[in-house]
Amino acid sequence: MPETDHLSATFAALADPTRRAILARLAHGEASVTEIAEPFSMSLPAVSKHLKVLEKAGLVSRGRSAQWRPVRLDPAPLKDAAGWIDHYRRFWEESLDRLDAYLTKLQAGDPDGSKH
């Protein structure tokens, strides 16, 4: 899958506050579906649907330990999304720095930078 498709799946999964809350819970360690569902007022099948979206995006994985199927966070897609966002953060910071420099020149009465 191309990187943009991975990013689309990641951002789509992160668009839902319940899924973000599930990821926050899993950041503290693996948990069962029942444990994940505890703080939410929704059915286990509803939580499972959220987990399937997260799993399809590669944000969580499910293991197997006897009868227990722990769900764990996979942070790699989050790192990719953060890298993508960081690229644009740097762009905006550089643009704002240039604007700030220009406004400073205007306030000093030197709109083209020719006065010393």
Side-chain angles (χ1 to χ4, degrees):
M1 184 183 302
E3 180 184 343
T4 54
D5 290 338
H6 283 296
L7 286 174
S8 294
T10 299
F11 286 124
L14 294 174
D16 185 275
T18 300
R19 291 192 286 270
R20 291 192 305 270
I22 290 170
L23 291 177
R25 163 57 185 91
L26 292 173
H28 297 287
E30 63 187 27
S32 69
V33 175
T34 304
E35 291 169 332
I36 292 168
E38 283 174 7
F40 302 105
S41 56
M42 64 177 68
S43 67
L44 285 177
V47 171
S48 290
K49 285 182 181 180
H50 283 294
L51 288 171
K52 285 180 185 176
V53 172
L54 292 169
E55 195 170 12
K56 186 174 180 183
L59 291 162
V60 300
S61 61
R62 295 183 195 216
R64 179 163 290 212
S65 177
Q67 296 298 317
W68 192 52
R69 292 197 44 139
V71 180
R72 54 182 73 84
L73 177 66
D74 182 354
L78 293 173
K79 183 179 178 188
D80 294 341
W84 185 86
I85 290 169
D86 190 52
H87 169 77
Y88 290 96
R89 180 192 56 79
R90 286 191 307 267
F91 166 78
W92 281 108
E93 284 178 354
E94 290 168 5
S95 296
L96 291 172
D97 287 347
R98 287 190 302 273
L99 178 61
D100 184 50
Y102 178 71
L103 291 174
T104 300
K105 288 178 187 176
L106 282 179
Q107 290 173 344
D110 187 16
D112 63 359
S114 59
K115 289 185 182 178
H116 294 256

